[in-house]
Amino acid sequence: MQCPETILVLEDDLLISRLLTKFIAPETRRVLVASNVAEGLEILRSNHVDVIFADIHLPDGNGISVIREALRIHPGIVSVVVTGDPSLESAIEAMHLGVSDYVKKPFNREKIITSLRRAISRSEVKKLMANRETDPSVKPENDLFQQADARFIAVSDSMQEILSLINKVSHLDIPFLLQGEIGVGKKALARHIHQCNGTLQTPFTYINCATQNSGRQFYESVSSVLVQTAEQVSAGTTGKGTVFLEDIEQLSLSDQKQLLEFLGEHATGGHSCSVMYEYPFRLIAATTKDDLEAEVKQGRFHRGLFDYLSLMPVKVPPLRERREAIKPLGLHFLRQLGSVWDFKNKYSHDRINETEWQALINYDWPGNVHELAAVIFRIILLNDCLGVTNQLKQAQESSGADKAETISIPVTGDFKSMERHMIKEVVKLCGGNKTTAAKTLRMHRRTLYRILNQGKQDQDMHQASIS
């Protein structure tokens, strides 16, 4: 049965163009053909096109530029790149444009049909999402993006940007590296990526690297899971699932190397560029390290594995940097508890009053979303929101006092530089107020300014001497 989509084939090689048309025509209603950029743009402007198969290198321009213009003309269009000269640069550029697939020449019919059906499926999802935006009453049950968003709360601008990026590239079988503090929601985000890929019925495999024994036992336990997933995909018993490796930095260097070797053994595509490889599963890794590349430079993380994982890094901000999300998340947890403990959702708001919500919003949440969930649970369990919020205030004030009494002083350098460093630290602790800092140090304000200014003059003289 033909689908109602119109497909544009943009290819300057006549034989390849005919072959693509031969493969695609039985699967769709109409196939349009262009051999250069000018013809392609003319067709796009005069016809509604749902999917475009585009070569990168064309006689009068670049296929990527045509895809970019096609998205402007038809915002819902889905594109597939077909090229005989793949490169990392073009693959990344295509990825940022939301390309559905990246096909390397030579290809076979099976590959083209698979890419076509994936593109058509994505086109249908885009249409459903567009209908939902124009008509809020439209809530299709098979809208995977809607189902995924329902499970992941994103209120702040930073999280909305992350979700926008993920929704744009999640259909590509590329690895993700999720970075963030403990409890920020990396596992929930990994599940969101899994669901956005249209894989609600395929397996989501979770492996905590911190609990894995190093050496041969690690390789056997982890590889058995990955091999089983690969075999199920090859046998057709399941679609491509997701393997989520939490705390990837906890693996020893030898285990990291074994993991990289395993990925190489089960990749197909035969190209040195990892984005061109096809794997029987999507790999998502998570780390609590702010700068994993620094671990690479210090020899604590494998360079090859870092390069593979960092193709699509996502930094998840801590809860204290997105305070506008605290109340919506708290209400979400209240509703979840309500369904378990059978109290009505309409009473969720009454469990915590506005003053208490403000106390929760002002708290810094060192345990992030996980700590918020635990606190909401405690509030419901004890039925004492005021008591719980007061405990949080006291804990934060105690933590702040401890920080105020502690500053770091370098143990190298002369006494004057150590003195200046100490003064700068106290000024920071006083919120930049030099008068308050001088009182804290029991020092005259002019003395404080003189020491800081002398340090600046010494630095300027040093810069002048080396320039």
Side-chain angles (χ1 to χ4, degrees):
M1 179 180 176
Q2 288 186 331
C3 70
E5 272 72 16
T6 296
I7 314 297
L8 170 61
V9 174
L10 179 58
E11 171 62 61
D12 62 323
D13 187 309
L14 183 59
L15 291 176
I16 294 177
S17 178
R18 286 176 176 173
L19 190 62
L20 283 169
T21 304
K22 178 183 177 181
F23 291 160
I24 293 171
E27 301 285 329
T28 190
R29 178 175 65 88
R30 185 168 63 148
V31 181
L32 304 174
V33 178
S35 60
N36 55 53
V37 171
E39 290 179 4
L41 292 177
E42 184 179 349
I43 290 173
L44 286 166
R45 292 183 183 118
S46 56
N47 297 270
H48 176 79
V49 177
D50 299 286
V51 178
I52 175 173
F53 279 73
D55 190 6
I56 291 181
H57 302 292
L58 297 166
D60 57 343
N62 185 297
I64 297 293
S65 64
V66 176
I67 292 173
R68 187 178 290 107
E69 181 64 14
L71 286 167
R72 191 188 65 80
I73 299 170
H74 306 293
I77 197 169
V78 178
S79 53
V80 176
V81 168
V82 183
T83 180
D85 185 24
S87 67
L88 179 61
E89 291 76 14
S90 62
I92 291 176
E93 190 175 3
M95 178 182 66
H96 285 303
L97 288 174
V99 169
S100 176
D101 214 342
Y102 195 100
V103 180
K104 180 188 172 186
K105 301 174 185 176
F107 50 78
N108 55 30
R109 181 182 181 278
E110 182 182 0
K111 178 62 182 174
I112 296 301
I113 296 304
T114 300
S115 297
L116 174 64
R117 289 175 179 172
R118 183 183 298 168
I120 289 172
S121 175
R122 184 160 174 78
S123 174
E124 290 173 349
V125 170
K126 279 192 170 186
K127 289 174 184 176
L128 288 170
M129 291 184 72
N131 290 338
R132 190 180 67 186
E133 289 174 0
T134 55
D135 184 0
S137 65
V138 177
K139 295 183 178 179
E141 293 181 0
N142 60 338
D143 187 341
L144 300 178
F145 288 94
Q146 181 188 20
Q147 294 179 39
D149 285 343
R151 292 171 173 81
F152 194 88
I153 308 298
V155 177
S156 64
D157 290 343
S158 58
M159 292 307 297
Q160 288 286 352
E161 288 176 8
I162 288 173
L163 284 195
S164 176
L165 173 65
I166 287 172
N167 288 345
K168 192 173 184 180
V169 302
S170 62
H171 61 285
L172 298 173
D173 292 329
I174 57 174
F176 278 78
L177 177 62
L178 309 183
Q179 299 170 280
E181 296 177 5
I182 293 174
V184 292
K186 297 186 290 294
K187 187 175 180 180
L189 191 57
R191 286 191 178 277
H192 175 83
I193 296 170
H194 172 73
Q195 292 163 355
C196 278
N197 198 28
T199 52
L200 290 170
Q201 306 302 322
T202 54
F204 179 89
T205 305
Y206 168 72
I207 299 173
N208 189 329
C209 297
T211 63
Q212 300 297 318
N213 293 321
S214 183
R216 187 67 189 171
Q217 191 172 355
F218 160 78
Y219 184 78
E220 290 175 352
S221 61
V222 173
S223 66
S224 64
V225 173
L226 301 181
V227 168
Q228 184 180 9
T229 304
E231 289 174 348
Q232 289 174 346
V233 172
S234 299
T237 58
T238 183
K240 286 187 178 182
T242 299
V243 175
F244 177 51
L245 299 178
E246 189 170 37
D247 295 329
I248 189 75
E249 77 281 0
Q250 297 290 338
L251 293 180
S252 67
L253 279 172
S254 61
D255 291 339
Q256 294 169 27
K257 186 177 180 181
Q258 286 182 336
L259 175 61
L260 190 62
E261 289 174 352
F262 176 87
L263 292 170
E265 290 170 4
H266 289 79
T268 59
H271 196 275
S272 58
C273 173
S274 62
V275 77
M276 248 68 86
Y277 284 138
E278 289 189 14
Y279 295 90
F281 49 80
R282 178 202 292 282
L283 185 65
I284 302 176
T287 177
T288 56
K289 295 289 184 182
D290 285 336
D291 189 359
L292 199 58
E293 190 168 12
E295 298 294 300
V296 174
K297 293 176 180 177
Q298 293 174 19
R300 292 196 291 262
F301 200 86
H302 195 284
R303 163 58 69 180
L305 185 58
F306 172 77
D307 289 339
Y308 168 77
L309 293 173
S310 60
L311 182 67
M312 185 53 63
V314 176
K315 289 194 175 183
V316 186
L319 194 54
R320 62 183 173 275
E321 293 180 7
R322 42 186 172 113
R323 295 184 188 274
E324 63 270 38
I326 291 172
K327 185 173 181 179
L329 282 167
L331 289 171
H332 171 69
F333 294 137
L334 281 172
R335 285 190 291 269
Q336 284 188 323
L337 288 170
S339 64
V340 174
W341 289 350
D342 198 28
F343 64 78
K344 294 181 180 180
N345 286 339
K346 68 179 182 179
Y347 298 127
S348 297
H349 292 71
D350 299 333
R351 296 278 173 154
I352 305 174
N353 63 39
E354 285 303 317
T355 302
E356 292 161 345
W357 274 121
Q358 195 56 50
L360 294 175
I361 291 169
N362 291 337
Y363 182 59
D364 281 343
W365 300 105
N368 292 293
V369 180
H370 288 184
E371 185 183 8
L372 174 61
V375 166
I376 296 296
F377 180 85
R378 200 185 317 149
I379 287 171
I380 299 302
L381 187 66
L382 300 176
N383 196 25
D384 183 14
C385 185
L386 181 61
V388 173
T389 53
N390 283 337
Q391 288 177 4
L392 294 179
K393 285 180 184 177
Q394 291 170 8
Q396 183 147 303
E397 288 170 0
S398 174
S399 173
D402 290 342
K403 289 179 181 177
E405 293 172 359
T406 306
I407 60 174
S408 60
I409 300 175
V411 295
T412 59
D414 58 24
F415 177 78
K416 286 186 178 180
S417 64
M418 293 169 66
E419 181 185 43
R420 278 195 299 271
H421 179 88
M422 182 179 69
I423 291 173
K424 287 178 180 178
E425 288 292 301
V426 174
V427 171
K428 285 181 185 177
L429 290 172
C430 294
N433 190 319
K434 293 185 176 68
T435 301
T436 304
K439 288 180 181 178
T440 302
L441 292 166
R442 298 177 184 178
M443 176 186 293
H444 197 281
R445 187 177 61 189
R446 282 200 297 268
T447 304
L448 182 142
Y449 275 93
R450 177 178 56 76
I451 294 171
L452 292 178
N453 289 334
Q454 184 61 47
K456 186 176 184 303
Q457 291 172 11
D458 291 347
Q459 186 177 9
D460 291 342
M461 289 176 64
H462 176 68
Q463 291 292 334
S465 66
I466 62 175
S467 61

